[in-house]
Amino acid sequence: EVVEIAHSENVSDWINAIANYFVTAGVKVTTLSELRQKVKIAPVEIWLGLLLGDFALSQVQSELSYFYDNEISVERKQ
């Protein structure tokens, strides 16, 4: 189902929306939570844009949280 969405939509628009956030916010690294709040596209579109675009995802480690509670850090590679 997700692959069908990617083929039926313009993924480059999603990638550009995410990349534009980095430029307008003036940041090199952000969190997935912040992207979901600030970029006005659906969560599945954010995920596909991140996975298919030029972004690096990593898990933010915290001693105070469990493995699945950790935040995801997003970095624009360019």
Side-chain angles (χ1 to χ4, degrees):
E1 186 175 314
V2 172
V3 174
E4 290 176 19
I5 292 171
H7 287 295
S8 67
E9 299 292 335
N10 193 351
V11 177
S12 63
D13 287 346
W14 306 337
I15 295 169
N16 288 334
I18 297 166
N20 286 338
Y21 173 76
F22 282 88
V23 172
T24 58
V27 297
K28 293 184 180 192
V29 178
T30 190
T31 63
L32 180 60
S33 297
E34 187 170 331
L35 281 176
R36 290 186 63 202
Q37 291 174 4
K38 304 290 183 176
V39 179
K40 301 301 180 198
I41 58 177
V44 69
E45 295 168 349
I46 291 174
W47 272 110
L48 288 172
L50 292 172
L51 294 172
L52 299 173
D54 199 20
F55 303 98
L57 304 174
S58 60
Q59 186 177 27
V60 177
Q61 298 293 325
S62 171
E63 294 178 10
L64 302 175
S65 61
Y66 295 104
F67 177 81
Y68 292 107
D69 293 336
N70 289 337
E71 181 63 79
I72 296 173
S73 175
V74 179
E75 181 179 358
R76 187 171 178 204
K77 291 183 184 178
Q78 296 178 344

